[in-house]
Amino acid sequence: MIFDSIHHIAIIASDYDKAKEFYVDKLGFKVKREVERKEREDFIIFLDAGDNIEIELFIEKNPPERVTRPEARGLRHLAFKVDDIYKSVEELTKRGIETEEIRIDPLNGKHMTFFFDPDGLPLEIRE
């Protein structure tokens, strides 16, 4: 492989308060830094996603809607690895985040489920 690792993942959000509440307060990502780009009328919140990976959370005024969910061209979803999917779903539920039913991936037999950020981006957790 020609790459060492993933450096960052960029997500576009439409509402600063909702995005920050979801990714920081509910999901627990730590803010590394925030940048306001007045010339572009947007914000970037840099989140620590572990293993030297960042999530760059771009907050823009009127980004276009996702075409479909999740089968639009481009990024399909972002998946997070967990040790115990049932505990993770329970914790997400306590934090007010609704998940789909837990199912088994027919390709590898692992438990998985999806939930969605405030702008409808599909997020997956899997064991």
Side-chain angles (χ1 to χ4, degrees):
M1 185 166 87
I2 62 174
F3 307 112
D4 294 330
S5 66
I6 292 174
H7 183 270
H8 70 269
I9 298 157
I11 297 172
I12 296 175
S14 62
D15 184 289
Y16 176 91
D17 293 327
K18 287 180 183 177
K20 193 166 185 183
E21 176 190 20
F22 183 80
Y23 285 97
V24 177
D25 299 339
K26 290 185 176 180
L27 296 186
F29 289 105
K30 302 289 185 236
V31 175
K32 292 174 77 174
R33 67 188 183 286
E34 293 188 44
V35 175
E36 180 180 7
R37 300 187 305 177
K38 291 183 182 186
E39 72 282 0
R40 295 189 62 162
E41 297 182 8
D42 70 0
F43 285 87
I44 307 171
I45 304 173
F46 296 89
L47 304 172
D48 183 352
D51 293 330
N52 293 315
I53 298 171
E54 283 185 336
I55 293 175
E56 291 180 355
L57 190 54
F58 288 81
I59 294 93
E60 299 182 1
K61 279 190 176 181
N62 292 306
E65 297 282 332
R66 285 184 61 84
V67 178
T68 61
R69 180 203 116 171
E71 284 75 22
R73 191 175 298 146
L75 178 67
R76 183 177 173 124
H77 63 266
L78 176 59
F80 301 104
K81 183 178 182 259
V82 298
D83 290 327
D84 184 331
I85 198 164
Y86 292 95
K87 280 186 178 178
S88 297
V89 165
E90 183 179 320
E91 187 60 36
L92 288 171
T93 302
K94 284 181 189 174
R95 296 175 186 206
I97 299 170
E98 196 174 311
T99 66
E100 292 182 349
E101 186 176 318
I102 295 171
R103 59 186 186 267
I104 295 176
D105 186 333
L107 298 176
N108 61 24
K110 301 287 185 179
H111 289 93
M112 60 177 282
T113 191
F114 282 89
F115 60 103
F116 301 87
D117 84 353
D119 287 298
L121 176 66
L123 302 169
E124 177 185 351
I125 53 174
R126 71 169 41 237
E127 290 181 330

